[in-house]
């Protein structure tokens, strides 16, 4: 389940959720992309839940110039999540002197500015 995935990453989350988590055995043939998609979905559901309780929910992400592609894709997914009806603000910080037009963050920044 998605909750189980999140509690594996953040063990203290079990105390906040107050819900039994169980590992639903995923087939071994499940690809890495499918696992990553499941985790991104779980994270979106988690952010929706948190933003419904803590309004507005503000995430401050620092040093985005060092973020990997998967993390940048997750940020784009959160920003474009139309199912999140609550207040969510994402503040991203990066060192502009370390980001040029060829940097992976530049493409993500351009994509985010179009949303």
């Amino acid at each position: 389940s998605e909750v189980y995935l999140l509690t594996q990453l953040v063990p203290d989350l079990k105390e906040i959720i107050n819900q039994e988590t169980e590992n639903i055995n995923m087939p071994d043939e499940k690809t890495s992309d499918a696992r990553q998609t499941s985790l991104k979905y779980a994270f979106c559901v988690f952010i929706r839940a948190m933003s419904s309780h803590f309004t507005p929910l503000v995430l401050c992400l620092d040093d985005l110039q060092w973020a990997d592609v998967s993390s940048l894709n997750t940020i784009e997914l959160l920003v474009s999540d139309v199912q999140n009806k609550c207040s969510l603000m994402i503040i991203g910080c990066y060192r502009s002197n370390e980001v040029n037009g060829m940097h992976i963050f530049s493409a993500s920044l351009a994509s985010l500015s179009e949303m």
Side-chain angles (χ1 to χ4, degrees):
S1 99
E2 290 80 16
V3 173
Y4 178 78
L5 286 172
L6 290 173
T7 58
Q8 292 304 295
L9 291 174
V10 185
D12 290 341
L13 196 56
K14 291 177 189 173
E15 296 174 22
I16 297 169
I17 294 175
N18 291 329
Q19 183 178 351
E20 288 295 317
T21 61
E22 61 183 53
N23 182 11
I24 297 174
N25 292 329
M26 293 185 198
D28 289 336
E29 65 271 4
K30 193 168 186 179
T31 66
S32 175
D33 287 341
R35 288 184 183 141
Q36 193 156 13
T37 299
S38 295
L39 183 58
K40 285 181 181 180
Y41 173 74
F43 192 64
C44 278
V45 170
F46 172 71
I47 293 297
R48 287 179 206 147
M50 291 294 105
S51 65
S52 70
H53 292 295
F54 305 105
T55 301
L57 178 64
V58 179
L59 301 177
C60 185
L61 307 173
D62 195 13
D63 290 329
L64 288 174
Q65 73 276 5
W66 294 328
D68 62 350
V69 173
S70 181
S71 298
L72 294 172
N73 288 341
T74 302
I75 294 168
E76 289 181 34
L77 184 66
L78 290 175
V79 169
S80 64
D81 184 10
V82 295
Q83 293 184 21
N84 189 353
K85 306 295 184 200
C86 300
S87 298
L88 171 66
M89 176 185 282
I90 299 176
I91 300 171
C93 304
Y94 68 98
R95 296 178 185 172
S96 59
N97 63 330
E98 293 185 22
V99 176
N100 60 28
M102 301 302 292
H103 197 281
I104 60 170
F105 182 62
S106 293
S108 197
L109 197 56
S111 177
L112 287 168
S113 66
E114 292 175 3
M115 290 183 186

